[in-house]
Amino acid sequence: MAVNRSRKARAVRKRRRRMDNVEHDLSDEQWAALKSAWGGCAYCGADDKPLQRDCVLALSRGGRYTLDNIAPACGSCNASKCNDEVTGWLRRKRLDERAFLLRHLEIRAALALRFGAEPAADAPGAPVR
């Protein structure tokens, strides 16, 4: 069987390998709780659009689909952010970086209590000890 060598096909294979190499533990119940807690897009606040799972720390930078690292994002914000660092991207888009980080920390802490998980110390926005 011939292998498709297009740029898109190579990117798909690379993403699939990267996804297979990490453990993702975000349950459907946790995703529903995240969407409910944020009440819309975590970045722009849009509540009239379908939400996607966005990794605050991108998969290509070592992020995973976990309760600590996922934020609900509208398609526009998710596509625009791509694999950029969240703080730099928020600044470029002129969105309120401080408000996002504080809210992200509050929601992570509340959901960690609810689901019996401790927020990861190396997750974005984690308190420094």
Side-chain angles (χ1 to χ4, degrees), residues 2 18 22 40 47 50 54-56 58-59 72-74 79 82 88 98-99 102 114 116 118-120 123:
R18 190 170 48 242
V22 294
D47 59 358
D54 179 54
C55 289
V56 177
L59 293 171
C74 65
C82 190
R98 180 180 171 86
L102 288 173
R114 177 176 168 187
E118 190 173 313

Side-chain angles (χ1 to χ4, degrees), residues 1-107:
M1 177 193 269
V3 175
N4 187 344
R5 298 189 185 279
S6 72
R7 177 183 282 173
K8 184 175 182 179
R10 285 193 315 265
V12 167
R13 285 192 299 272
K14 185 176 179 181
R15 177 179 168 81
R16 188 175 300 132
R17 281 192 305 271
R18 190 170 48 242
M19 294 289 282
D20 289 342
N21 287 334
V22 294
E23 181 182 339
H24 304 288
D25 60 2
L26 184 73
S27 69
D28 291 337
E29 182 183 5
Q30 290 171 332
W31 171 237
L34 272 169
K35 288 193 302 186
S36 175
W38 280 100
C41 177
Y43 305 119
C44 71
D47 59 358
D48 59 339
K49 299 177 183 175
L51 298 174
Q52 303 172 353
R53 295 173 183 174
D54 179 54
C55 289
V56 177
L57 177 63
L59 293 171
S60 62
R61 295 174 182 258
R64 304 180 308 139
Y65 285 127
T66 63
L67 188 59
D68 286 339
N69 192 43
I70 293 292
C74 65
S76 175
C77 286
N78 196 6
S80 171
K81 182 177 163 282
C82 190
N83 70 339
D84 291 344
E85 185 180 274
V86 71
T87 53
W89 176 79
L90 286 166
R91 285 184 210 130
R92 278 194 310 282
K93 294 293 278 186
R94 298 178 192 255
L95 296 170
D96 193 349
E97 174 187 1
R98 180 180 171 86
F100 167 78
L101 292 173
L102 288 173
R103 183 117 189 262
H104 181 63
L105 186 61
E106 291 168 2
I107 289 172

